[in-house]
Amino acid sequence: MITTFVEVRQTIEVTIDETKFTPQFMADFRGSFFAFYSLKDHVEHLAQLAAREVVHDGSFIEGYGPAKEMGISFAEGGIEMEVQASNEELARLNVEHGGAAA
């Protein structure tokens, strides 16, 4: 059995129409969802939803409504992964199933 850590870094481009995030919207959102007080809070939340593929362009986003109506859109900016393992663990991970180490 092999257990290791993989660091995944994903970049998501988030576009919002800041005029939709009125004081009333912000208060309503805080009352039902999370204590977000800034646009940064919302952008970070939206980015992690997109990274986890919970939401997509044009989808309905709980707490926000239809993405297009809120001026919300996403674009993939890239993904990087790094296995954090010792040289011995990396050698074991590189072995093809049923094969021998190179």
Side-chain angles (χ1 to χ4, degrees):
M1 185 178 304
I2 297 172
T3 302
T4 191
F5 292 92
V6 178
E7 182 178 339
V8 179
R9 291 176 297 279
Q10 187 171 10
T11 303
I12 303 290
E13 179 182 87
V14 179
T15 300
I16 63 169
D17 179 352
E18 70 275 8
T19 66
K20 304 287 187 174
F21 291 76
T22 64
Q24 184 62 52
F25 170 84
M26 298 289 275
D28 291 346
F29 190 92
R30 281 192 299 278
S32 299
F33 295 97
F34 304 104
F36 291 171
Y37 288 89
S38 70
L39 292 177
K40 180 179 179 282
D41 293 332
H42 286 282
V43 168
E44 288 174 347
H45 177 66
L46 291 164
Q48 64 88 14
L49 291 175
R52 292 187 300 127
E53 297 184 358
V54 174
V55 298
H56 305 279
D57 271 352
S59 67
F60 180 90
I61 305 172
E62 191 169 355
Y64 299 91
K68 288 186 191 243
E69 288 181 20
M70 285 296 287
I72 299 170
S73 64
F74 308 98
E76 172 69 38
I79 189 166
E80 298 175 27
M81 288 184 267
E82 180 182 343
V83 176
Q84 299 174 353
S86 68
N87 288 337
E88 180 181 308
E89 290 169 325
L90 285 174
R92 289 180 62 205
L93 289 170
N94 285 325
V95 174
E96 290 185 27
H97 183 69

